[in-house]
Amino acid sequence: QVQLVESGGGLVQSGGSLRLSCAASGSIFRNNGMGWYRRAPGEQRELVARITSGGRTNYADSVKGRFTISRDNAKNMVYLQMNSLQPEDTAVFYCNTIPAFVSWGQGTQVTVSS
């Protein structure tokens, strides 16, 4: 069973930082691009950052310059460093493949207070 387990969310003040982690089953991790997605209250899930198996990255305009995605292929981990967080970043964050074809994990809640 392929699994994705996200962690690292929490409550922070505007301007703060968080680092999210995603543990992925090795069978899906090695040869796939991975991404961080988020679903804000009342909104559809959106892709905010992606990284190829070779380490190339791409970001949504809304997070460019503030978020950094990275991966550790030896540990089957994907990370999202989030700086300068704003209230509009409040959402449940998920990781998945690019495109998303694995069952979604529970996600990790990020709440940014003003």
Side-chain angles (χ1 to χ4, degrees), residues 48-101:
V48 297
R50 66 173 74 187
I51 185 167
T52 68
S53 57
R56 296 179 67 177
T57 60
N58 186 264
Y59 300 92
D61 287 344
S62 58
V63 306
K64 199 172 294 183
R66 301 188 298 123
F67 290 10
T68 302
I69 188 171
S70 61
R71 64 191 292 161
D72 185 332
N73 290 337
K75 296 181 179 179
N76 295 341
M77 297 289 293
V78 184
Y79 306 99
L80 187 68
Q81 177 66 43
M82 305 187 296
N83 299 326
S84 301
L85 284 162
Q86 301 300 316
E88 52 265 34
D89 295 315
T90 294
V92 179
F93 282 72
Y94 305 85
C95 66
N96 210 315
T97 51
I98 300 291
F101 61 79

Side-chain angles (χ1 to χ4, degrees), residues 14-68:
S14 180
S17 298
L18 284 172
R19 187 190 192 217
L20 307 183
S21 299
C22 170
S25 298
S27 61
I28 64 159
F29 186 88
R30 277 186 295 274
N31 299 316
N32 286 287
M34 298 295 295
W36 280 99
Y37 303 74
R38 69 184 179 188
R39 176 178 281 166
E43 304 284 339
Q44 290 191 334
R45 188 157 24 210
E46 63 171 342
L47 176 66
V48 297
R50 66 173 74 187
I51 185 167
T52 68
S53 57
R56 296 179 67 177
T57 60
N58 186 264
Y59 300 92
D61 287 344
S62 58
V63 306
K64 199 172 294 183
R66 301 188 298 123
F67 290 10
T68 302

